[in-house]
Amino acid sequence: MKHGVAFRKFSRTSSHRNLMLRNLVTSLFEHEQIRTTLAKAKDTARLAEKIITLGKKNNETSYRQAQAFILKPPVLPKLFTTFAERYANRPGGYTRIHRLDNRFGDNAPIALLELVDNPRDFKLEMTARAVGRELLNEKLRWDSPRGVVNSGVQHAETAVVKELNLGGFDSSELRPTTRRNLQKVMKYRGREALTEIGAKASAYIETILAKPVAETKMQLRADSKEKEKARKRGNPNFVGSFPVSPARAGVASPGETRPAMRLVQGALGRPARWRGRHALA
């Protein structure tokens, strides 16, 4: 029975626990992104939401309460100016938690705790990459890879504006999940965010298109060096070979249409088999 379980104790005394959480909230306001364990991130987010609400009230009482909680005085002006203006129209939900991985040693789950709409917004970055990849996949449906490399994908910002005005089940260039994430990210942001996410999406598209070209150039350069060494050793028939970096598990190539389970399995995934009368057992 859940009796007397009010909050997480963290195996600490009340004074130690409260000071630790105050320190985490202060670090969150100072850097706007922190990495900590998942349990600490959840309690830190709960307290940070309340302190940001004090900053939005912007009166003498709220200032004194925030001053008594925050450990670094230089962070106080940021709370009552930057954060109060940024979240003026947002009714709540000022923090976001991302599950990352498990810590080496004790295997504790690690999370990234951040303030939403911060200058290094993690979700904005990932959404921009998803938008860029899906716009590139859509372009590859109608054009050859060489044609896409030569022409690129233009007007990413225009595509973002178009997606923001669509409903959940409307057909478009993006998947419904990516469109929902895009609409969430852009809900309380201004016009300048459209330019930012369009630029990030275009930059990621250029990165994806440039990777095969860069690997080909590296392969040719490495092969020429190996052939020169083989010629000096008296082996003029040497055929060079440069190891191309394999795709990580879950990473799809541009235009990839395989199921998600195949991508997650990566190199360990079983090859597709013919399902006809003579299929392999």
Side-chain angles (χ1 to χ4, degrees):
M1 300 179 67
K2 189 178 178 181
H3 288 173
V5 184
F7 45 82
R8 297 176 180 86
K9 308 299 191 297
F10 296 113
S11 300
R12 290 169 170 84
T13 61
S14 60
S15 58
H16 187 184
R17 181 175 60 251
N18 292 335
L19 185 60
M20 178 193 70
L21 293 175
R22 288 174 59 193
N23 191 19
L24 285 172
V25 172
T26 304
S27 298
L28 177 63
F29 289 164
E30 183 179 8
H31 303 288
E32 303 192 28
Q33 276 184 352
I34 59 172
R35 280 171 58 104
T36 183
T37 61
L38 181 62
K40 291 177 184 177
K42 290 179 179 179
D43 276 29
T44 303
R46 176 175 59 86
L47 293 174
E49 300 263 350
K50 296 180 179 180
I51 301 303
I52 291 177
T53 302
L54 293 178
K56 290 175 65 176
K57 291 181 179 178
N58 198 15
N59 53 39
E60 184 177 356
T61 303
S62 62
Y63 184 86
R64 292 185 182 278
Q65 290 175 343
Q67 186 180 31
F69 187 88
I70 294 177
L71 297 178
K72 294 184 179 180
V75 178
L76 274 175
K78 191 176 183 180
L79 173 64
F80 286 89
T81 56
T82 304
F83 297 161
E85 295 172 1
R86 181 189 300 170
Y87 305 125
N89 299 322
R90 187 182 287 270
Y94 313 117
T95 58
R96 185 185 295 122
I97 297 176
H98 301 277
R99 283 288 301 269
L100 297 180
D101 50 10
N102 289 357
R103 186 166 57 193
F104 180 76
D106 61 355
N107 208 37
I110 299 298
L112 175 70
L113 175 62
E114 67 174 356
L115 297 176
V116 299
D117 299 344
N118 72 82
R120 298 179 299 154
D121 197 330
F122 186 77
K123 187 168 185 177
L124 176 67
E125 183 70 31
M126 298 306 296
T127 303
R129 293 189 178 194
V131 169
R133 176 174 285 274
E134 292 177 19
L135 290 177
L136 178 58
N137 288 343
E138 184 68 19
K139 187 77 177 288
L140 285 170
R141 289 180 58 190
W142 312 106
D143 199 354
S144 63
R146 183 175 297 276
V148 174
V149 169
N150 293 332
S151 62
V153 180
Q154 306 295 331
H155 310 299
E157 183 179 347
T158 305
V160 169
V161 175
K162 176 185 174 183
E163 296 292 335
L164 291 176
N165 298 323
L166 295 178
F169 298 99
D170 295 335
S171 60
S172 66
E173 298 175 311
L174 303 183
R175 296 180 302 150
T177 302
T178 304
R179 189 191 310 134
R180 285 196 299 270
N181 288 335
L182 178 63
Q183 291 171 351
K184 287 180 182 179
V185 166
M186 300 297 300
K187 186 174 182 180
Y188 294 101
R189 290 176 176 264
R191 175 68 187 179
E192 63 279 359
L194 289 174
T195 305
E196 179 184 2
I197 197 168
K200 288 180 179 290
S202 300
Y204 189 63
I205 291 171
E206 294 175 1
T207 301
I208 295 175
L209 294 177
K211 185 177 179 181
V213 178
E215 287 186 346
T216 302
K217 289 183 178 180
M218 291 175 65
Q219 182 175 359
L220 294 175
R221 188 178 304 172
D223 285 350
S224 62
K225 291 182 179 179
E226 292 295 331
K227 288 180 180 179
E228 181 65 23
K229 291 179 181 179
R231 188 184 61 80
K232 292 180 179 179
R233 292 194 298 264
N235 184 14
N237 298 322
F238 172 79
V239 178
S241 62
F242 179 76
V244 179
S245 58
R248 294 181 288 109
V251 177
S253 301
E256 184 64 68
T257 57
R258 286 184 297 165
M261 186 56 66
R262 297 275 183 190
L263 299 178
V264 171
Q265 291 171 342
L268 300 179
R270 300 172 66 182
R273 297 179 297 178
W274 181 50
R275 299 294 181 184
R277 187 159 57 102
H278 302 287
L280 296 176

